[in-house]
Amino acid sequence: RRRLEAIYAQRGREDPEAAAQHFLEDVHQSAGLLLERGAGQYGFIHLTFEEYLAAVAIAEKIAKANTRQVTEAMKLVARRTGNKQVAARANALISPPRTP
């Protein structure tokens, strides 16, 4: 929630806290993508959404950085956390398509 408030403040919203709360309520009630996990803490109902969005963020950072270093960092994170899905999805997003 704090991150959303910061985004709305950056965009010049008059009441960033209310805007963030309104957004979260709409997504929670209408779309069914988020669950409230605690006071002001939300998470995706399915881990797949979170993994995909994390992979997109990593792929965008790779496009702006040294690909080899970031790829090695992703592999290290995957090994340490046991979550290979994010690394695999990010790799799929940045890898050139294979030709037959």
Side-chain angles (χ1 to χ4, degrees), residues 44 46-56 83 85-86 89-90:
F44 288 98
H46 296 288
L47 187 58
T48 305
F49 293 122
E50 190 172 328
E51 291 170 345
Y52 173 75
L53 293 173
V56 169
N83 188 340
Q85 293 301 316
V86 172
R89 285 186 172 92

Side-chain angles (χ1 to χ4, degrees), residues 70-90:
V70 177
T71 302
E72 291 305 314
M74 280 187 340
K75 289 177 185 175
L76 179 63
V77 169
R79 281 195 302 269
R80 288 190 178 172
T81 64
N83 188 340
K84 296 185 179 18
Q85 293 301 316
V86 172
R89 285 186 172 92

